[in-house]
């Protein structure tokens, strides 16, 4: 199966959602707190509604694992009205592309139903979309990097992955600056849409507001000398152990300062060679990564010539439900040096 329709719709749906997220990024973000104390914004809710509406129009029988649900909104009509205003205004400026996504949502109730349609438990059978409407919400709130992420998982394997990163440079050859995670901008020359289909490679294209723009293949950078590698890691110490990462860098002879940024923008950055290595190291023994935080990025890096495993060297298993129950941590690197990086990871973690 070629998955070309799935790829096309996923890219258009994510691109339309960024029209909404960019508007919220520059305005009032309307933050709530979820049960796990992580933040959620009006942008998260609106983007999830838009994307699920598009998926259900095109693939009505597919399941969706979405990060958000609408119970809070049903108890808060003013907040619902605020999100509805954003959703109504978020339309592609290409009428044919907009119609491919099923056109605009018709009512606030349809919006709430779309948000709640992301309640699948996941699993290893059938077609399941994993959606993170705003990955890196803290980066989004801080004015840094964030991503809108969507992946199709079929029988436990990721087949399609799409990442929209409105604040990353369009230029695939632009090096990562040390402050890229703190100073996000979606102005001129910014906004990139990464995508991949299993066994067909990965691409990037400028993020637009209408039909998809022309794309080009991306590949991870050759890394003949690992001491010259650029590490990407999370901004939040609660997401990945910065101390362990520093010890791993020292063991590999890497002296360059790590680039810290939020979201799966890290996966996109190393996939196109702007960075080289991405580590997400366990901070708690009982923590389980969410599938929507990794599915799209995992495929894009692998299709760009990289290898992604957990900290024990096992592939990420997206067929266990809504979380990566079978995995601890993430190690993403070019295939040629992945084993070397993994050995350093194992050495540092085993010495604790």
């Amino acid at each position: 199966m070629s998955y070309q329709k799935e790829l096309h719709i996923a890219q258009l749906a994510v691109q339309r959602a960024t029209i909404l997220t960019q508007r919220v990024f520059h305005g009032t973000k309307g933050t709530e707190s979820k049960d796990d104390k992580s933040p959620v914004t009006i942008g998260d809710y609106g983007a999830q509604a838009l994307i699920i509406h598009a998926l259900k129009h095109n693939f009505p029988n597919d399941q969706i694992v979405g990060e958000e649900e609408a119970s809070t909104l049903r108890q808060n009509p003013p907040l619902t009205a605020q999100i509805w205003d954003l959703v109504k205004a978020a339309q592609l400026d290409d009428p044919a592309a907009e119609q491919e996504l099923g056109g605009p949502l018709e009512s606030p109730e349809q919006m709430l139903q779309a948000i709640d349609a992301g309640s699948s438990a996941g699993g290893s059978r059938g077609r399941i979309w994993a959606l993170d409407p705003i990955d890196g919400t803290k980066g989004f709130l801080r004015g840094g990097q964030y991503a809108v992420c969507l992946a199709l998982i079929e029988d436990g394997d990721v087949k399609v992955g799409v990442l929209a990163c409105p604040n990353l440079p369009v230029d695939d050859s632009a090096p990562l600056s040390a402050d890229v995670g703190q100073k996000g901008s979606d102005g001129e020359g910014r906004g990139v849409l990464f995508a991949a289909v299993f066994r067909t490679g990965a691409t990037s294209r400028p993020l637009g507001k209408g039909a998809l723009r022309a794309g080009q293949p991306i590949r991870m950078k050759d890394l003949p000398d690992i001491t010259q590698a650029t590490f990407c890691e999370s901004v939040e110490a609660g997401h990945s152990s910065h101390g362990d990462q520093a010890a791993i860098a020292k063991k590999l002879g890497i002296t360059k300062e790590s680039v810290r940024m939020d979201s799966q923008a890290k996966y996109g950055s190393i996939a196109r060679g702007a960075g080289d290595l991405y580590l997400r190291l366990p901070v708690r023994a009982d923590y389980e990564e969410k599938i929507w935080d990794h599915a799209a990025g995992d495929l894009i890096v692998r299709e760009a010539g990289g290898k992604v495993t957990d900290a024990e060297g096992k592939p990420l298993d997206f067929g266990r439900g809504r979380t990566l129950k079978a995995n601890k941590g993430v190690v993403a690197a070019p295939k040629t040096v992945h084993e070397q990086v993994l050995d350093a990871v194992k050495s540092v973690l085993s010495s604790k």
Side-chain angles (χ1 to χ4, degrees):
M1 186 174 177
S2 69
Y3 299 100
Q4 288 309 299
K5 180 180 180 182
E6 287 84 350
L7 173 66
H8 179 70
I9 294 300
Q11 289 181 105
L12 276 181
V14 166
Q15 179 163 274
R16 180 171 69 172
T18 64
I19 297 172
L20 184 150
T21 64
Q22 286 171 274
R23 185 176 173 190
V24 176
F25 184 80
H26 293 290
T28 302
K29 296 182 172 71
T31 312
E32 300 284 322
S33 287
K34 293 189 283 191
D35 292 341
D36 63 0
K37 306 304 181 188
S38 62
V40 58
T41 71
I42 56 175
D44 292 85
Y45 290 121
Q48 178 153 320
L50 286 165
I51 292 172
I52 291 181
H53 175 65
L55 293 177
K56 285 300 184 183
H57 176 75
N58 285 278
F59 313 109
N61 297 321
D62 289 3
Q63 297 182 58
I64 302 169
V65 173
E67 184 172 10
E68 313 306 342
E69 50 88 26
S71 59
T72 300
L73 303 185
R74 293 184 185 280
Q75 298 166 18
N76 191 334
L79 184 60
T80 298
Q82 186 181 7
I83 297 166
W84 173 238
D85 285 343
L86 289 165
V87 168
K88 278 191 300 184
Q91 296 185 34
L92 296 170
D93 61 20
D94 182 279
E98 180 69 24
Q99 284 307 119
E100 285 185 279
L101 299 182
L105 284 89
E106 296 177 355
S107 68
E109 180 56 32
Q110 187 184 34
M111 176 186 76
L112 295 176
Q113 289 176 6
I115 294 169
D116 277 337
S119 60
S120 169
S124 61
R125 294 287 180 267
R127 287 165 52 105
I128 302 167
W129 294 88
L131 165 62
D132 194 340
I134 295 181
D135 182 34
T137 302
K138 290 183 179 178
F140 182 76
L141 293 169
R142 198 190 306 112
Q145 296 298 329
Y146 74 96
V148 180
C149 314
L150 183 62
L152 173 62
I153 302 166
E154 188 169 66
D155 296 335
D157 295 324
V158 187
K159 300 297 186 182
V160 177
V162 175
L163 296 176
C165 302
N167 296 340
L168 282 182
V170 171
D171 184 1
D172 289 330
S173 63
L176 289 177
S177 59
D179 63 358
V180 68
Q182 302 298 328
K183 297 180 179 178
S185 165
D186 58 5
E188 190 67 29
R190 300 273 173 163
V192 60
L193 187 62
F194 298 106
V197 173
F198 183 59
R199 291 183 176 165
T200 66
T203 62
S204 76
R205 70 185 73 233
L207 196 56
K209 297 184 184 300
L212 295 176
R213 298 182 180 178
Q216 63 182 14
I218 54 172
R219 296 288 296 174
M220 293 195 79
K221 188 170 62 184
D222 289 332
L223 196 58
D225 181 359
I226 199 166
T227 66
Q228 300 304 306
T230 297
F231 259 122
C232 294
E233 64 176 335
S234 299
V235 174
E236 301 293 330
H239 292 167
S240 184
S241 172
H242 292 164
D244 289 344
Q245 167 119 358
I248 291 162
K250 183 177 180 180
K251 186 169 282 289
L252 292 169
I254 299 171
T255 57
K256 198 183 299 185
E257 186 180 356
S258 292
V259 175
R260 291 179 179 174
M261 70 173 95
D262 297 274
S263 85
Q264 291 183 65
K266 295 183 286 292
Y267 280 111
S269 294
I270 70 168
R272 64 175 174 174
D276 301 299
L277 313 173
Y278 166 40
L279 299 185
R280 188 168 170 110
L281 302 170
V283 291
R284 297 198 328 260
D286 62 341
Y287 183 73
E288 295 179 359
E289 298 281 351
K290 310 298 191 295
I291 64 171
W292 53 75
D293 284 331
H294 298 281
D298 168 83
L299 181 66
I300 289 166
V301 165
R302 288 189 288 116
E303 288 298 320
K307 185 173 182 179
V308 184
T309 69
D310 68 7
E312 297 174 349
K314 297 184 296 184
L316 303 187
D317 185 350
F318 294 96
R320 297 295 189 95
R322 293 173 69 91
T323 66
L324 296 173
K325 292 182 177 67
N327 303 109
K328 293 296 179 187
V330 177
V331 179
K335 286 180 182 175
T336 53
V337 299
H338 186 276
E339 186 173 354
Q340 188 178 357
V341 176
L342 184 62
D343 285 346
V345 169
K346 289 179 177 178
S347 174
V348 168
L349 296 185
S350 67
S351 67
K352 294 178 68 174

